[in-house]
Structure formats: structure tokens, C-alpha cells
């Protein structure tokens, strides 16, 4: 038996090396605010545009600059509140936050179009420096940017933050409280 195990020695070295190179041994990075348990997938969608398609001009700085309607389902049991962020990871200076909304009640399953700060939940401050929604407004000529609407289901009724909190504060307050999350993505270019 000792002889049989020795014949596997070189193969075990190769497998260990490949795992180290491809980082298979390391767990995937946790999502923002992830709990130690695996977060459930929440289904998020918008009737305003198809997943991965162009966001209509009316929802951008070139149009009415109003938020699109959003709907969700498959909220995990135990959810007490929701948080929403819309961001652009393709912005030239790094990820740009367009919308921060938290302490949303768990019961409604949608946000109406043209959501105003204070109408539902608490509005945070976006990277334009104002509360509420700020539509896609990428620099002209740089191609399409992706805009992600990410909804988080939380196990607390409130994050204990004030109106105008920045996304970094919301993300920190969510840590250990995320039961599930979902995402809808659209594109826009000028």
C-alpha cells in the first residue's frame, strides 16, 4: 500500500500547485454585507427595460432623470427591511453610486417610477452629492456603461442611519444582516 501512495505523490503535487495557481482553494469573496450563511437570490426586474439592454433616455441625465420602476420577488423569510443601490462600475474614476435607498419596508414588492426622496424608505446621498436618484450620465464617447440595481434583503428593520447617509455607511451597517440579494442591469452611453 505504501508503494501505491508514493505513485500518487507527483500527481498530488501537481494538483496542489494548480489549486494554488487558480486560487481554487480560497472561498469566493463575500458580497457586500454578506452574512456567514449563503445569501438567497432575490429576483429583481424592471418593466422599463430588459435585463442587460439599453436604459431608456427618460431615466438618464439626457432625459427626465427619473428612476425606473422596479419589482422584486423571492424575498427570504425573516426579511425585515430592504436596501437598494444603483451604481456604475465602469465610471472612469471607479464605481459611481447613482442611488442609495435603505430602510425600505419588506412588504411592498415594487418601487414606482419617479421615486422621490422621502416617499418610501430613507434616501442616501449619491455621488452627485444629492439625495435620491441620479440617472446614468456617462462621459460622451467612452462607450456603454453598465448600471446595476442591487436589492438587499435584511434581517433588521432599520440600519440606524440618518437621511443622506453615503453608500459606504449603508454597506457597513448591513454587514452580517443580508439574507438575500438580487440584481438588474441596464446599459447607457452618450
Amino acid at each position: 500500500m505504501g508503494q501505491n501512495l508514493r505513485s500518487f505523490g507527483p500527481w498530488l503535487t501537481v494538483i496542489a500547485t494548480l489549486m494554488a495557481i487558480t486560487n481554487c482553494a480560497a472561498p469566493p469573496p463575500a458580497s457586500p454585507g454578506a452574512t456567514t450563511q449563503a445569501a438567497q437570490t432575490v429576483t429583481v426586474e424592471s418593466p422599463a427595460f430588459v435585463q442587460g439592454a439599453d436604459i431608456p433616455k427618460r431615466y438618464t441625465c439626457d432625459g427626465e432623470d427619473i428612476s425606473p420602476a422596479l419589482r422584486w420577488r423571492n424575498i427570504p423569510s425573516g426579511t425585515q427591511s430592504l436596501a437598494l443601490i444603483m451604481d456604475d462600475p465602469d465610471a472612469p474614476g471607479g464605481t459611481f453610486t447613482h442611488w442609495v435607498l435603505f430602510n425600505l419596508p419588506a412588504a411592498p414588492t415594487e418601487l414606482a417610477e419617479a421615486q422621490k426622496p422621502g416617499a418610501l424608505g430613507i434616501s442616501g446621498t449619491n455621488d452627485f452629492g444629492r439625495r435620491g436618484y441620479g440617472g446614468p450620465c456617462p462621459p460622451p464617447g467612452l462607450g456603454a456603461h453598465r448600471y446595476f440595481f442591487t436589492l438587499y434583503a435584511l434581517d433588521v428593520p432599520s440600519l440606524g442611519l440618518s437621511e443622506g447617509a453615503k453608500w459606504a455607511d449603508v454597506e457597513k451597517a448591513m454587514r452580517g444582516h443580508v439574507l438575500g440579494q438580487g440584481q438588474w442591469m441596464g446599459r447607457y452611453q452618450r
Side-chain angles (χ1 to χ4, degrees), residues 76-124:
S77 65
T79 298
Q80 296 186 46
S81 69
L82 304 168
L84 174 72
I85 180 172
M86 175 198 167
D87 59 16
D88 169 10
D90 303 319
T95 301
F96 191 92
T97 302
H98 286 261
W99 196 12
V100 179
L101 194 56
F102 57 97
N103 290 4
L104 287 163
T109 58
E110 63 184 58
L111 280 176
E113 180 180 86
Q115 192 70 38
K116 299 286 186 206
L120 191 61
I122 295 179
S123 293

Side-chain angles (χ1 to χ4, degrees), residues 16-174:
T17 302
L18 287 173
M19 288 178 68
I21 290 170
T22 60
N23 203 20
C24 288
S31 61
T35 63
T36 53
Q37 301 171 341
Q40 285 185 261
T41 301
V42 175
T43 303
V44 179
E45 58 190 9
S46 175
F49 58 94
V50 174
Q51 167 78 345
D54 290 340
I55 296 174
K57 189 182 230 180
R58 72 180 298 197
Y59 304 109
T60 75
C61 67
D62 296 319
E64 297 173 51
D65 205 14
I66 59 172
S67 62
L70 294 171
R71 296 187 286 233
W72 51 85
R73 61 184 185 280
N74 302 328
I75 298 296
S77 65
T79 298
Q80 296 186 46
S81 69
L82 304 168
L84 174 72
I85 180 172
M86 175 198 167
D87 59 16
D88 169 10
D90 303 319
T95 301
F96 191 92
T97 302
H98 286 261
W99 196 12
V100 179
L101 194 56
F102 57 97
N103 290 4
L104 287 163
T109 58
E110 63 184 58
L111 280 176
E113 180 180 86
Q115 192 70 38
K116 299 286 186 206
L120 191 61
I122 295 179
S123 293
T125 300
N126 59 34
D127 285 344
F128 292 113
R130 61 182 191 254
R131 291 185 310 112
Y133 177 84
C137 198
L142 294 182
H145 285 217
R146 296 166 300 152
Y147 297 87
F148 292 90
F149 295 80
T150 306
L151 185 75
Y152 298 91
L154 308 173
D155 66 2
V156 292
S158 170
L159 293 176
L161 299 171
S162 303
E163 192 95 15
K166 300 283 265 173
W167 171 242
D169 300 320
V170 173
E171 184 179 26
K172 184 178 178 182
M174 288 191 328

